[in-house]
Amino acid sequence: VTSPPMPYVDGPLIRLVGENAIYFVAGGLKIHIPSPEIFMLLGYDWAKVEPIHRDDPRWKLPTFEAGIP
């Protein structure tokens, strides 16, 4: 039995209004997803990305930038 790909982290997906960068929120961090290709490989859904404003408390979380080897 096989199942569809599962997202890497089960947390909200956010982007700042007017910006293209997407982050998922987990463990008190907002974690940058470095490219659309990575977003798709992780099995995320574009329709679930929530646009937020700078005054949203999630935007004030520390940012983790994942490196790509």
Side-chain angles (χ1 to χ4, degrees), residues 23-69:
Y23 302 83
F24 56 84
V25 176
L29 297 170
K30 63 181 191 288
I31 303 165
H32 181 234
I33 300 172
S35 71
E37 293 80 17
I38 300 292
F39 183 91
M40 296 301 294
L41 284 172
L42 293 172
Y44 287 124
D45 180 353
W46 296 106
K48 294 189 178 181
V49 177
E50 180 185 352
I52 64 170
H53 294 278
R54 288 190 188 276
D55 60 351
D56 187 301
R58 293 170 294 178
W59 187 250
K60 297 174 184 357
L61 292 172
T63 302
F64 178 79
E65 292 285 343
I68 300 176

Side-chain angles (χ1 to χ4, degrees), residues 3-25:
S3 57
M6 296 297 291
Y8 182 69
V9 173
D10 187 18
L13 296 164
I14 61 171
R15 74 170 176 79
L16 191 62
V17 171
E19 301 288 333
N20 293 324
I22 297 174
Y23 302 83
F24 56 84
V25 176

